[in-house]
Amino acid sequence: MSGGITDSHCHVWWDQFDDDRDLVLQRARDAGVERMVVVGTDVETSVASLELAAREEGLHGTAGIHPHDAAKFDDRARRSIEELCQRADCVGVGETGLDWFKEWAPRDAQLASFRWHLELARTLDKPVIIHSREAHEDTLELVQGCPGVRGVMHCFVMGPEELPHYVDAGLHISFSGIVTFKGSAENQEAARRCPEELLLVETDAPFLAPTPHRGKRNEPAFCADTLRFVAELRGVSAEHLARVTSENASRLFGLTPLEAR
Ligand SMILES: [Zn+2]
Ligand SMILES: [Zn+2]
């Protein structure tokens, strides 16, 4: 496998990586994962994402409040996230979105937080990073209520019926290890049909390790497995898909193209 892979979504600030973070990043680079978008989930981890990205070649940070943490979304958090998102080195707004599956935060709080992040992303013209679980209709309604917003459906777990709605909204679609699981036929069909210019891959590490690492802690190196799997589904080479998904990530997040570095 040649290099040039971009993991469009990971959380390598997580304390599960505290003991071996340098090795994890090295293994990623050895596996060809040269670039990682490091995603914040509240004020503290957004700061951590940007700090880590400032230290490490090929890492880029984002700032936002995860739907699970939407109860923390008060005036102070809002001001902090807004300031972080305005920074030139912050490449995305989020992650934000709606999670009706776990519903760890009240729905009202999730809806208000998601709306606010969408508006902020549109105002700053930065991509919004959307988490959506069992919340297709509400997610779509809020996205459509914010025309002109750019962004990505991260860890897209839906099927070919839902896909066109997000494509029509102009969003990028990022596939995670879930697409490699047995029983993911619908999600695999979406990965086949997704327009090439909107396609991304991610790990969402430390969660959701792809086959053959399922059940283990996930890490960005495993993005290469998901990439290979999606390439096979689409009948293209892994090299081709690495290049295309990295170009898409460069365009979406405003990153210097990998070839030009
Ligand atoms: Zn998520
Ligand atoms: Zn995430």
Side-chain angles (χ1 to χ4, degrees), residues 173-188:
I173 312 291
S174 183
F175 290 88
S176 70
I178 287 180
V179 76
T180 69
F181 295 170
K182 281 200 177 75
S184 291
E186 294 281 295
N187 191 227
Q188 289 165 5

Side-chain angles (χ1 to χ4, degrees), residues 94-134:
E95 65 178 287
T96 178
L98 303 173
D99 196 315
W100 297 165
F101 176 54
K102 290 189 175 153
E103 213 175 323
W104 286 352
R107 288 193 179 206
D108 284 358
Q110 293 193 39
L111 288 164
S113 177
F114 185 27
R115 255 189 221 109
W116 181 86
H117 283 81
L118 283 166
E119 289 293 340
L120 179 65
R122 185 167 63 175
T123 304
L124 297 177
D125 191 27
K126 288 193 179 180
V128 62
I129 300 158
I130 301 172
H131 169 112
S132 178
R133 284 295 171 290
E134 313 270 317

Side-chain angles (χ1 to χ4, degrees), residues 9 11 39 41 66-68 95-96 99 129-133 154-155 202 204 207-208:
H9 190 112
H11 303 287
V39 176
T41 57
H66 194 283
H68 291 340
E95 65 178 287
T96 178
D99 196 315
I129 300 158
I130 301 172
H131 169 112
S132 178
R133 284 295 171 290
H154 115 79
C155 191
E202 67 171 76
D204 206 12
F207 311 106
L208 300 167

Side-chain angles (χ1 to χ4, degrees), residues 151-176 179 185-201 230-231 233-236 240-241 244-245 248 251-252:
V152 53
M153 290 296 286
H154 115 79
C155 191
F156 186 77
V157 292
M158 301 181 211
E161 281 190 21
E162 292 87 359
L163 176 75
H165 297 285
Y166 298 100
V167 168
D168 288 348
L171 294 178
H172 283 64
I173 312 291
S174 183
F175 290 88
S176 70
V179 76
E186 294 281 295
N187 191 227
Q188 289 165 5
E189 189 52 34
R192 263 184 218 108
R193 293 193 200 175
C194 180
E196 187 172 84
E197 67 276 14
L198 296 177
L199 188 66
L200 297 171
V201 285
V230 174
L233 281 178
R234 295 172 66 91
V236 298
H240 173 79
L241 201 69
V244 164
T245 51
N248 293 343
R251 237 185 302 112
L252 180 65

